[in-house]
Amino acid sequence: MSVLPATSRAWHLVSRPHGTPRPEDFALRETPVGAPAAGHLLIRNHYFSVDPYMRGRMGDTPGYAYFPPYALDEALVGHAVGEVVVSNAAGFAPGDHVLHFGGWREYAEVPSGEATPVDTDGIPLTAYLSVLGMTGLSAYTGLFEIASFRKGDVVFVSGAAGAVGGQAGQLARLSGARRVIGSAGTDEKVRMLVEEFGFDAAFNYRAGSVSDQLRQAAPEGIDLYFDTVGGDHLEAAIGALREHGRVALCGAIAQYNDVEPPPGPRNLAQAIGKRLTMRGMIVTDHQDLLPRFMADVAPWVRSGELVWRETVAEGIEKGPEAFLGLFRGDNTGKMIVRLDHPATGAASPSR
Ligand code: NAP
């Protein structure tokens, strides 16, 4: 067994952000590392995830937080992958790699029932935070379960160079979409969508009106809109949707830091005449899809047919910055924080 440190570090939320969170809203604190209680595991985290939904848990904005708010002055939580270093539970042994919810910290003690063993044979550990993790399942759920994807659909995905959006667009392509269109915030991301992810068309939403650019990319309209952004993107999609079009309302990142209620899509009434179906989703309601998701998507991951990107921030110190970067578009693909454990040097390879 490797030698355990006496203490380890964890990020705490120390004040509730108003508008865009600031670095001062977070504090890196030391806590003792001890032997795990009966039925628990002590896990050394290699990577943890930062996600837009965490913004809702940090504040008290009604409507955006679909999980209870984070407690102040306690370690933040979220998905993480790591290695069991001490097991006090049947079925787990030191060296096992697991996915769990004790992120934002170097060492986590978790009940064994909340840790999921992961298969790292041919699949990097980080994939369980991205393409085979919560964001991957969100893309799959939104496309197939919420928006009832059909072969031949013309699909528009916003936030398409992000973790969920990039995967939703590719899943649509791999499943027989007629045309897949994506939007993203830089020309480089737009190029990547077409050249690497195989989108048929993409545009930079900062370069002009979303409605105009969408009309140009899909002159005959769209059948399905996968929304990760809200605001002007949702309004443009409502305008472009054809009769009986379907919308997966997955995220509205453009609005998460708003301090005033944003104006609604001005053209919502079009949903009536077009008989649109617009359905919200929370991925945790759809864990039953996990076996089907893994069976469908893991082979595409192994074969390389599904391409994914990760942006990896180095070191626990970067946690809040990585999180804040989501709202600036610093990431391409999944934003992940890598933890350095120089004493052991144990970190799995990443792309
Ligand atoms: P992500 O897309 O990997 O990262 C966020 C991206 O959003 C940034 O890279 C940035 O890319 C874009 N962005 C930031 N501010 C923006 C703005 N004002 N307007 C347009 N784009 C903006 O994050 P993710 O984890 O895949 O999540 C994407 C969305 O899905 C989020 O809204 C998230 O809350 C939601 N989500 C929902 C569920 C659910 O269960 N409902 C589950 C997972 C995720 P650009 O450079 O392109 O601007």
Side-chain angles (χ1 to χ4, degrees):
M1 193 184 82
S2 53
V3 179
L4 294 178
T7 60
S8 80
R9 295 172 296 173
W11 280 104
H12 290 216
L13 186 71
V14 293
S15 52
R16 299 214 179 276
H18 182 70
T20 302
R22 305 154 308 152
E24 313 83 272
D25 295 324
F26 304 85
L28 190 56
R29 298 210 166 133
E30 297 258 347
T31 46
V33 176
H40 287 220
L41 309 170
L42 182 67
I43 298 161
R44 185 171 62 224
N45 282 335
H46 291 326
Y47 298 90
F48 69 84
S49 178
V50 290
D51 296 275
Y53 79 85
M54 292 170 171
R55 174 64 188 89
R57 298 196 67 178
M58 288 174 187
D60 40 17
T61 322
Y64 293 157
Y66 33 83
F67 296 115
Y70 286 128
L72 291 180
D73 296 312
E74 277 183 24
L76 289 158
V77 292
H79 285 103
V81 283
E83 188 179 329
V84 174
V85 284
V86 183
S87 171
N88 201 357
F92 290 87
D96 288 352
H97 287 110
V98 290
L99 170 69
H100 62 99
F101 211 61
W104 289 90
R105 67 195 80 182
E106 292 171 312
Y107 283 79
E109 183 184 334
V110 300
S112 63
E114 294 175 14
T116 308
V118 294
D119 174 9
T120 51
D121 182 19
I123 295 178
L125 197 49
T126 53
Y128 295 97
L129 298 179
S130 59
V131 69
L132 293 178
M134 183 277 283
T135 54
L137 182 62
S138 301
Y140 187 89
T141 300
L143 190 70
F144 298 115
E145 186 77 7
I146 305 296
S148 308
F149 171 83
R150 298 174 196 150
K151 271 195 174 111
D153 275 349
V154 176
V155 175
F156 171 47
V157 181
S158 57
V164 175
Q167 193 154 346
Q170 289 187 74
L171 290 177
R173 170 175 61 74
L174 288 162
S175 306
R178 182 144 65 88
R179 189 166 165 77
V180 180
I181 299 142
S183 63
T186 68
D187 290 345
E188 200 187 327
K189 289 182 180 183
V190 165
R191 234 182 341 266
M192 179 198 74
L193 290 177
V194 176
E195 291 173 9
E196 287 182 39
F197 286 11
F199 281 55
D200 298 285
F203 61 85
N204 180 346
Y205 68 84
R206 295 182 204 273
S209 130
V210 179
S211 298
D212 291 350
Q213 296 192 85
L214 181 56
R215 205 172 303 116
Q216 221 168 0
E220 290 166 18
I222 61 173
D223 302 298
L224 190 158
Y225 172 48
F226 194 109
D227 191 18
T228 71
V229 168
D232 55 351
H233 285 69
L234 179 55
E235 188 167 298
I238 291 171
L241 278 156
R242 292 201 275 241
E243 283 189 5
H244 302 288
R246 288 147 280 132
V247 181
L249 297 169
C250 178
I253 194 166
Q255 300 168 198
Y256 292 169
N257 289 322
D258 284 355
V259 289
E260 298 293 335
R266 292 166 300 180
N267 56 356
L268 188 57
Q270 286 190 26
I272 303 164
K274 291 184 178 180
R275 290 85 149 178
L276 301 183
T277 303
M278 302 170 69
R279 189 175 159 203
M281 62 165 274
I282 298 296
V283 64
T284 46
D285 295 345
H286 300 276
Q287 295 303 310
D288 57 309
L289 293 178
L290 204 51
R292 215 172 85 199
F293 161 70
M294 290 301 274
D296 286 350
V297 178
W300 280 329
V301 169
R302 283 205 169 89
S303 69
E305 284 168 280
L306 184 66
V307 182
W308 82 99
R309 291 274 205 107
E310 291 163 355
T311 298
V312 181
E314 295 290 340
I316 191 168
E317 298 81 1
K318 295 278 168 48
E321 259 314 296
F323 171 71
L324 296 174
L326 292 166
F327 300 92
R328 299 186 295 254
D330 290 356
N331 60 310
T332 301
K334 184 75 191 82
M335 184 72 103
I336 291 171
V337 179
R338 183 157 89 138
L339 302 175
D340 293 318
H341 291 289
T344 60
S348 293
S350 176
R351 301 160 66 98

